[in-house]
Amino acid sequence: MKTELSRTLGIEHAIFGFTPFPAVAAALTRAGGFGVLGAVRYTDPDELARDLDWMQAHTDGLPYGLDVVMPAKKVEGVTEAEVEAMIPEEHRAFVRATLAKHGVPELAEGEASGWRITGWMEQVARNQLDVAFDYPIKLLANALGSPPPDVVARAHDHGVLVAALAGSARHARHHADAGIDIVVAQGYEAGGHTGEIASMVLTPEVVDAVSPLPVLAAGGIGSGEQIAAGLALGAQGVWLGSIWLTTTEAELHSRALTAKLLAAGSGDTVRSRALTGKPARQLRTEWTDAWDDPAGPGPLPMPLQGLLVAEAVSRIQRHEVEPLLGTPVGQIVGRMNAERSVQQVVDELTRGFEKAVDRINRIAGRSEA
């Protein structure tokens, strides 16, 4: 499963894995893929440095990358407290009522919310980069499109490739014009923030739009056969995120959430603004239903919604309130029906890829088997 891009990065398999868990990213890198650590939760640069130290010690000198959430346009002089003050009381009351309806306990006294969408703030991401560029990362990915021009230049000065996610060919061309090295064509099926075009349509459109830049196919991919399809459509690799959530190395810290993921089918997700204010695919729960109900106040725009629900999400997760408990995940959740190690997942992906290639070779008359 080698492509020009995988050879450039010195990896065995053209499998790129986004994950918020250092142990998963390191395991994927050791398994011959390319682990990409999500940085959005690291509001403390020292915590990021600690985990990058750990990554460095557990990747055997093999390459890995970092994913940040950085807007292309800078917003001057706006603090988190000033933004949070913009949240209407109606929405705060709606959160309180929804939690009370389900009997969600408060956090313990002195326990801070462990989940806050603050990585969207440019200075937070820049602080993360100040740490990251002290490490030998090989790829910087940005989940909000092209990062600011000076960040692209800084990455290139450090010999780091820059990737950006795109949900349309128009977005992809913008990335190419901005000097991005790799475009991730993320289809509608993907978990988290995603657009409205399905992967089968999006991937070849993006490949054509940015050629000769390498493209990674993303969204709804969780088998070797699907990887083969992505490469057949012109991608030079795949970008996988959801599939790692039920690996033994993942640190969900919630057996109830793991059980929900293992039991979910491909139709049990919804593209909702309930979590961050932007459409994001996630498990459908009574929490997402409440926010999508026309009788309610509806979600606020990003970043207000993320700040509004931060403590509520922490309470739901901390107390494992099953009807409300969810997570960003793609439609591929229907295949995530057993806990396996990252190495086992990679082995299954490569076996499926080989079977798909053999099948096509037989169809094309290139094999006697």
Side-chain angles (χ1 to χ4, degrees):
M1 202 186 299
K2 287 186 170 64
T3 64
E4 183 180 348
L5 178 60
S6 69
R7 293 187 181 95
T8 296
L9 289 167
I11 57 177
E12 183 179 359
H13 308 302
I15 300 173
F16 296 73
F18 163 80
T19 173
F21 308 123
V24 173
L28 176 56
T29 285
R30 293 197 306 272
F34 192 98
V36 182
L37 179 63
V40 69
R41 66 189 179 93
Y42 294 99
T43 56
D44 182 349
D46 290 339
E47 291 184 6
L48 177 59
R50 177 202 64 202
D51 281 357
L52 288 177
D53 283 337
W54 188 93
M55 287 275 295
Q56 192 63 20
H58 291 82
T59 47
D60 300 336
L62 298 168
Y64 60 90
L66 191 74
D67 179 279
V68 297
V69 179
M70 174 175 278
K73 295 181 180 179
K74 186 172 183 177
V75 179
E76 298 281 1
V78 180
T79 67
E80 181 180 336
E82 289 170 335
V83 173
E84 195 158 6
M86 302 176 189
I87 297 173
E89 177 55 34
E90 175 191 14
H91 286 75
R92 296 186 187 276
F94 182 75
V95 170
R96 291 193 296 268
T98 304
L99 295 178
K101 176 182 176 181
H102 292 273
V104 182
E106 299 279 351
L107 294 175
E109 186 175 352
E111 183 179 358
S113 169
W115 185 94
R116 291 186 73 79
I117 294 293
T118 52
W120 63 270
M121 298 182 72
E122 179 171 337
Q123 192 53 53
V124 173
R126 287 186 179 275
N127 291 342
Q128 293 166 349
L129 295 179
D130 288 341
V131 172
F133 287 133
D134 286 336
Y135 293 82
I137 62 171
K138 299 300 181 184
L139 176 70
L140 173 66
N142 189 35
L144 285 183
S146 304
D150 69 294
V151 172
V152 176
R154 186 180 178 192
H156 288 165
D157 287 344
H158 282 83
V160 176
L161 297 178
V162 180
L165 276 64
S168 70
R170 178 176 60 85
H171 293 156
R173 283 190 288 269
H174 174 76
H175 298 337
D177 292 342
I180 299 302
D181 304 292
I182 302 167
V183 177
V184 181
Q186 180 169 277
Y188 172 83
E189 308 94 325
H193 295 132
T194 187
E196 299 180 350
I197 305 174
S199 299
M200 184 64 70
V201 174
L202 179 66
T203 301
E205 285 187 351
V206 171
V207 169
D208 289 345
V210 301
S211 180
L213 286 183
V215 172
L216 300 178
I221 299 175
S223 74
E225 291 83 355
Q226 290 167 318
I227 294 175
L231 298 188
L233 293 172
Q236 289 199 30
V238 292
W239 178 272
L240 309 183
S242 298
I243 197 72
W244 315 113
L245 288 173
T246 52
T247 57
T248 53
E249 292 91 345
E251 303 162 25
L252 284 180
H253 302 305
S254 172
R255 294 307 303 171
L257 180 54
T258 298
K260 289 188 76 170
L261 289 169
L262 294 173
S266 56
D268 292 328
T269 69
V270 64
R271 191 165 165 268
S272 171
R273 295 170 52 215
L275 190 62
T276 68
K278 282 192 172 185
R281 187 170 297 284
Q282 54 205 279
L283 278 181
R284 182 175 181 177
T285 66
E286 293 189 31
W287 178 256
T288 62
D289 286 348
W291 282 104
D292 294 339
D293 187 342
L300 295 166
M302 189 181 193
L304 298 180
Q305 182 71 12
L307 293 171
L308 168 66
V309 305
E311 182 179 327
V313 171
S314 290
R315 288 167 59 184
I316 293 165
Q317 292 176 343
R318 172 69 178 82
H319 298 288
E320 297 192 326
V321 183
E322 197 276 341
L324 304 179
L325 189 62
T327 185
V329 69
Q331 292 179 332
I332 199 63
V333 70
R335 294 186 62 94
M336 296 158 51
N337 49 24
E339 290 185 80
R340 296 164 293 166
S341 69
V342 170
Q343 182 66 65
Q344 288 173 318
V345 172
V346 172
D347 289 344
E348 183 176 293
L349 293 174
T350 55
R351 285 194 300 268
F353 177 80
E354 290 168 358
K355 289 179 181 178
V357 171
D358 288 344
R359 185 183 304 120
I360 294 301
N361 281 334
R362 289 196 301 272
I363 293 170
R366 299 191 184 100
S367 172
E368 296 179 0

